[in-house]
Amino acid sequence: MTAVAVPPSLSLPVIEAVFPRQLHPYWPQLQESTRSWLLEKRLMPPDKVAEYADGLCYTDLMAGYYLGAPDEVMQAIADYSAWFFVWDDRHDRDVVHGRAAAWRQLRRRLHAALDFPAEHLQHEDPLVAGLADSVGRLYSFLPKTWNARFARHFHEVIEAYDREFHNRAEGRIPGVDEYLALRRLTFAHWIWTDLLEPSAGCELPETVRKHPAYRRAALLSQEFAAWYNDLCSLPKEIAGDEVHNLGISLITHEGLTLEEAVEEIRRRVEESISEFLVVEKDVLRLADRLADGTVHGKELGAAVRACLANMRNWFSSVYWFHHESGRYMVDSWDDRSTPPYVNNEAAGEK
């Protein structure tokens, strides 16, 4: 794969040197199947799918993350991820067009579809039906205990999106600590971490998931992604009158200039990488201890190694995604506040 040129202000040589990029071998089929799924589920209009779906690189992002996943797990994750981006865009348009009642209704329906996906597969709202389809497939891979955890985590994400809706409607910029806590939910840190397990073919016991080293490695990989996203999307979000970006919180509440805010986000990004490289060794030691000579221990140790390897893959996948996806090429848009790939006429707006 040919690497794109990364602007110096966003360049992270350590990622390019120490986190080699890989793609799941199923990726070409994944891209085609997710494109077909978006059409079949009417999640994007056919013209938008044809023009933008591949260039948005949603499947590239997931195929660079969940290596080793069985093809059907990879496909379910990629479809769910594409759905998540479409949902994020709907949420954005509901805010921009002041559709508070529509958002409240969607929020209720998503909670219901998450708990009872089979009952929502034919729902009139493609977003509700799309969640039901993708989540129903994700629920088929591991025991009900994993499904309940995934659902609990995603209910929290939906509620965090509701808090974002109200913040944006009121023009309220959260303080730095409040923002960081909210961001862990709206970026769905624990959802992407949960999905490491079906990729590895094994539900991890709570003692492993909550082990300080494992939990820290998982959090750092996600924090890197969220903060790097903030760094890359700051121009887009300033243009769109956004209130949720670490840079915007730092400028508003800590009195930093734009340049100082960018520098502070970069510092946090670089710190998350260097700390991950340290804690990664602790997780490898944990995997060695788990492989205690029993068949179960060997499987568990291998699953922890697989999950850790994919946390590591998240760094490179997120990094390159931000420079290849049309989602961040704000300078090429006709209107810097309106992404060209969204359906802005969904409720009759022009």
Side-chain angles (χ1 to χ4, degrees):
M1 177 169 288
T2 309
V4 295
V6 178
S9 61
L10 302 173
S11 171
L12 295 170
V14 64
I15 294 291
E16 300 183 28
V18 185
F19 293 80
R21 189 184 193 187
Q22 306 174 76
L23 273 182
H24 197 291
Y26 181 64
W27 172 73
Q29 179 62 47
L30 189 71
Q31 187 182 49
E32 197 174 307
S33 298
T34 295
R35 194 189 316 123
S36 299
W37 186 78
L38 286 167
L39 282 170
E40 179 199 332
K41 298 298 173 189
R42 297 179 295 119
L43 286 162
M44 288 173 74
D47 60 323
K48 302 280 189 192
V49 172
E51 190 170 355
Y52 297 109
D54 289 356
L56 289 168
C57 301
Y58 297 160
T59 55
D60 307 46
L61 178 64
M62 293 296 121
Y65 185 12
Y66 296 103
L67 271 83
D71 291 355
E72 66 269 27
V73 174
M74 189 72 256
Q75 189 65 64
I77 291 173
D79 290 350
Y80 169 74
S81 167
W83 174 88
F84 200 115
F85 280 111
V86 174
W87 174 50
D88 187 71
D89 292 334
R90 168 87 74 88
H91 176 263
D92 177 67
R93 294 297 96 187
D94 280 351
V95 172
V96 167
H97 297 295
R99 300 192 296 241
W103 165 250
R104 275 197 305 274
Q105 182 182 62
L106 177 61
R107 172 187 160 209
R108 277 197 313 273
R109 289 170 166 178
L110 293 179
H111 279 304
L114 184 59
D115 285 335
F116 303 103
E119 295 174 18
H120 291 80
L121 292 170
Q122 307 304 323
H123 197 280
E124 61 184 352
D125 186 333
L127 210 55
V128 178
L131 177 66
D133 179 84
S134 61
V135 163
R137 285 149 62 203
L138 291 172
Y139 286 170
S140 70
F141 301 123
L142 290 178
K144 287 184 176 165
T145 43
W146 183 91
N147 298 349
R149 174 168 31 112
F150 180 93
R152 185 175 76 250
H153 285 155
F154 198 64
H155 282 305
E156 291 173 355
V157 170
I158 295 167
E159 286 306 291
Y161 264 71
D162 187 55
R163 291 202 291 282
E164 276 209 349
F165 186 96
H166 293 292
N167 283 344
R168 288 182 64 188
E170 296 158 17
R172 180 181 172 275
I173 297 169
V176 173
D177 288 344
E178 181 193 343
Y179 170 75
L180 292 174
L182 183 63
R183 185 70 162 135
R184 284 175 188 154
L185 294 172
T186 57
F187 202 83
H189 281 22
W190 302 116
I191 289 292
W192 307 120
T193 301
D194 288 338
L195 288 168
L196 293 167
E197 293 169 56
S199 300
C202 174
E203 182 184 20
L204 297 178
E206 190 173 354
T207 50
V208 172
R209 293 197 320 273
K210 296 200 170 169
H211 186 281
Y214 184 89
R215 194 166 174 83
R216 187 69 187 151
L219 181 63
L220 286 165
S221 76
Q222 293 296 325
E223 297 280 50
F224 164 80
W227 298 338
Y228 193 67
N229 175 270
D230 279 4
L231 191 62
C232 294
S233 60
L234 190 55
K236 171 181 124 173
E237 294 184 339
I238 288 173
D241 289 328
E242 248 290 3
V243 298
H244 297 107
N245 186 293
L246 180 54
I248 293 170
S249 287
L250 287 165
I251 291 165
T252 306
H253 295 286
E254 307 288 327
L256 272 59
T257 64
L258 176 60
E259 292 73 19
E260 289 167 342
V262 166
E263 199 51 47
E264 172 59 14
I265 302 172
R266 266 197 81 99
R267 185 191 67 76
R268 287 174 184 254
V269 164
E270 288 168 356
E271 210 169 69
S272 68
I273 301 167
S274 53
E275 193 183 336
F276 178 85
L277 291 170
V278 172
V279 81
E280 181 180 38
K281 295 182 175 68
D282 296 331
V283 182
L284 289 171
R285 281 191 283 273
L286 169 65
D288 287 342
R289 285 199 303 277
L290 291 167
D292 57 6
T294 64
V295 172
H296 175 67
K298 185 179 176 186
E299 287 174 354
L300 199 51
V304 168
R305 283 178 176 275
C307 291
L308 177 66
N310 281 336
M311 290 175 199
R312 166 178 260 280
N313 287 331
W314 192 223
F315 285 87
S316 58
S317 196
V318 162
Y319 180 73
W320 292 112
F321 171 68
H322 280 87
H323 303 297
E324 292 172 352
S325 173
R327 197 171 178 85
Y328 302 99
M329 295 179 183
V330 64
D331 291 336
S332 67
W333 302 353
D334 292 340
D335 174 355
R336 289 170 66 87
S337 66
T338 305
Y341 48 82
V342 299
N343 181 16
N344 203 36
E345 291 80 41
E349 303 86 4
K350 294 293 175 194

